[in-house]
Amino acid sequence: MAKTKNITHIDLFAGPGGIATGFKALGINTILANEYVDSVCETYTANHPETEMLCEDIREITDKRIKQELKKKGLDSVDIVSAGFPCETFSTAGSKSRASADHRDILFKEAIRIANAANAKILMLENVPAFLTKKVVKGGDELFFDVLMKDLKESGYKYIKYKILNAADYGVPQSRQRFVMLASKTIDVGEMDIPTKSNKVSVEEALSDLPLIEDNLTIDVYRSGPENEYQKTMRNPSFWKLETEHDGKKLTYHITPKHRPSTKLRFELIKQGEGLKDVFDKHTPEEVAKLQADRVLPKKWFIQRNYRLIPDRPSKTVTSHCLDELVHPQLNRGLSVREVARLQSFPDWYDFKGGPLLAPHMYKTQAKYELIGDAVPPLLAKAVGQYIIGLIK
């Protein structure tokens, strides 16, 4: 029977380390990771220094290189290869990119190739649910999902199962649906009946111990001690098994964004559960025009923009655009970096190195909000990892 601490993992398209963080809490050993963006690699390495990071284009990492890396560690195979391959072109939130072909559409092929090179027992793939419906050619019949299934079967994968999982069912204070697939050549992956939590964690339960501060401020002390189990988990070093000098007493990254006075006036018009579109809908055309002239409202609304969170419910999905999309449930500002990290279930001492607070999305360097919003929630990864451990054992 495999001991948990001896279960090995390669983390592809690793992001800031959401999967590795969830896996580490279980004792899974992430031996190798790959990312492309320098600022993302810096964050990953700061929090997972024991993991060798290959910070380069995955297409340039040869099978021979993978085998050499394993050999250096005395291995000829690994237990798990995970790949949260890019989702920008599959997401329905990005209709322009979804409508066109992009090399990122087939990067799952690289995950299969590296899993083959590493003789992985389990391949874990993760993406947005809309991956299931994007067509290879606009107007055609073949889906990218069909290509994935064909590639897996041609590579010898006999056992393949996927499900749409909602992070809120696994202790994450956020409704976030994700496509998760497990594939293996030798192990029956079962029905992916991953145990869920009986109670969903609300925004209030996630954030209530953090200070209520206005925009353009930073504070490094907690409002109170942990008030519930979720907060205890976020502040408990032993739960996560992370190598950190943080003592759990100093609050980090509770940094709030700076807003124009007119933007804060806009937030005042948005009630809990409402977004920017609702402000347009509940004002007359003349009122809207006046608010636009005063720069309170933009010239047009976006369906996801400026949603004020509801305290007693899980958050809406935290995306890479979360600063523009989510408004604090009580205060007239966007969320702080730490509040976003809390909604994603990153522990409080997680260090988001590299990159500014804000940067245009077309830049290669990822801003901290984008970095966190793109990540796999660690508690979701932990739930999937626990299931995989059962398969391997």
Side-chain angles (χ1 to χ4, degrees):
M1 180 179 290
K3 293 182 179 180
T4 303
K5 66 180 181 180
N6 294 328
I7 293 178
T8 51
H9 168 228
I10 294 177
D11 197 1
L12 304 178
F13 309 102
I19 291 178
T21 301
F23 280 13
K24 185 182 286 187
L26 298 167
I28 295 173
N29 179 20
T30 302
I31 59 171
L32 195 65
N34 168 248
E35 245 303 330
Y36 177 57
V37 180
D38 290 343
S39 56
V40 181
C41 295
E42 188 178 349
T43 286
Y44 193 105
T45 299
N47 295 282
H48 303 280
E50 74 287 352
T51 300
E52 183 173 356
M53 168 59 74
L54 306 182
C55 196
E56 55 193 277
D57 190 330
I58 193 171
R59 295 170 295 180
E60 303 299 321
I61 301 174
T62 64
D63 294 1
K64 181 179 179 181
R65 174 92 175 275
I66 293 297
K67 293 178 185 295
Q68 288 173 337
E69 294 293 341
L70 293 183
K71 187 176 181 180
K72 285 193 301 185
K73 296 169 175 57
L75 301 170
D76 56 12
S77 66
V78 296
D79 294 300
I80 310 165
V81 168
S82 68
F85 56 99
C87 65
E88 291 91 340
T89 66
F90 301 119
S91 174
T92 54
S95 57
K96 289 185 179 179
S97 62
R98 182 173 167 83
S100 59
D102 190 297
H103 77 274
R104 294 172 294 180
D105 290 339
I106 56 172
L107 282 177
F108 55 76
K109 290 177 176 286
E110 302 299 328
I112 297 172
R113 176 179 65 81
I114 290 177
N116 288 336
N119 297 313
K121 293 177 183 176
I122 299 282
L123 173 60
M124 171 189 167
L125 299 174
E126 184 270 351
N127 211 285
V128 293
F131 168 72
L132 291 167
T133 58
K134 185 173 181 181
K135 296 181 178 180
V136 175
V137 178
K138 190 176 181 180
D141 295 325
E142 188 177 31
L143 303 172
F144 281 104
F145 176 76
D146 299 329
V147 177
L148 169 62
M149 291 296 290
K150 178 174 178 289
D151 287 357
L152 286 170
K153 290 175 181 177
E154 287 181 351
S155 292
Y157 286 87
K158 298 178 181 178
Y159 306 100
I160 304 168
K161 183 68 178 179
Y162 72 89
K163 272 193 173 182
I164 304 300
L165 304 180
N166 191 328
D169 292 328
Y170 304 96
V172 181
Q174 168 194 172
S175 181
R176 184 189 191 94
Q177 291 195 320
R178 304 300 289 185
F179 161 87
V180 178
M181 171 181 279
L182 300 180
S184 178
K185 299 177 183 180
T186 58
I187 298 173
D188 186 344
V189 298
E191 294 300 312
M192 288 183 63
D193 292 326
I194 303 171
T196 59
K197 302 287 186 181
S198 57
N199 296 315
K200 291 180 172 59
V201 180
S202 70
V203 170
E204 177 70 15
E205 289 171 315
L207 306 183
S208 66
D209 63 329
L210 302 180
L212 290 169
I213 55 174
E214 299 296 334
D215 69 311
N216 198 29
L217 290 172
T218 300
I219 192 165
D220 62 3
V221 292
Y222 288 95
R223 182 183 183 186
S224 69
E227 299 173 349
N228 53 57
E229 286 304 314
Y230 183 78
Q231 293 171 13
K232 289 178 183 177
T233 299
M234 294 300 102
R235 294 165 65 168
N236 180 5
S238 63
F239 178 90
W240 297 97
K241 302 181 178 67
L242 285 176
E243 296 180 11
T244 175
E245 297 178 357
H246 197 281
D247 60 7
K249 296 179 181 179
K250 184 177 179 180
L251 178 60
T252 62
Y253 292 101
H254 195 35
I255 307 167
T256 55
K258 183 178 181 179
H259 298 300
R260 297 195 315 257
S262 57
T263 301
K264 289 191 280 188
L265 287 174
R266 178 201 308 167
F267 293 159
E268 287 183 17
L269 300 175
I270 301 172
K271 296 179 180 179
Q272 292 174 357
E274 293 183 345
L276 181 59
K277 180 181 181 298
D278 296 291
V279 179
F280 277 80
D281 289 345
K282 64 187 181 182
H283 287 83
T284 67
E286 293 76 18
E287 290 171 333
V288 167
K290 176 66 168 60
L291 290 168
Q292 288 174 326
D294 293 338
R295 300 183 69 190
V296 174
L297 292 182
K299 293 301 180 183
K300 60 180 180 179
W301 55 263
F302 300 89
I303 193 68
Q304 302 290 345
R305 190 67 57 87
N306 299 158
Y307 174 86
R308 189 181 288 279
L309 297 170
I310 302 173
D312 61 358
R313 299 181 190 175
S315 168
K316 283 182 60 176
T317 301
V318 176
T319 74
S320 61
H321 299 271
C322 56
L323 182 56
D324 292 326
E325 292 178 351
L326 302 178
V327 178
H328 192 277
Q330 286 95 24
L331 303 171
N332 293 317
R333 62 165 174 81
L335 301 181
S336 74
V337 175
R338 180 54 61 196
E339 286 166 344
V340 171
R342 275 283 184 94
L343 297 181
Q344 278 278 65
S345 75
F346 277 98
D348 278 10
W349 54 88
Y350 213 84
D351 195 356
F352 300 103
K353 295 279 191 182
L357 284 182
L358 298 172
H361 271 59
M362 70 281 295
Y363 286 15
K364 181 184 175 185
T365 297
Q366 278 197 309
K368 297 191 191 307
Y369 285 97
E370 184 180 2
L371 176 78
I372 300 168
D374 274 344
V376 176
L379 287 182
L380 174 60
K382 181 177 180 289
V384 178
Q386 189 71 65
Y387 180 82
I388 293 174
I389 289 171
L391 298 177
I392 293 172
K393 285 186 175 183

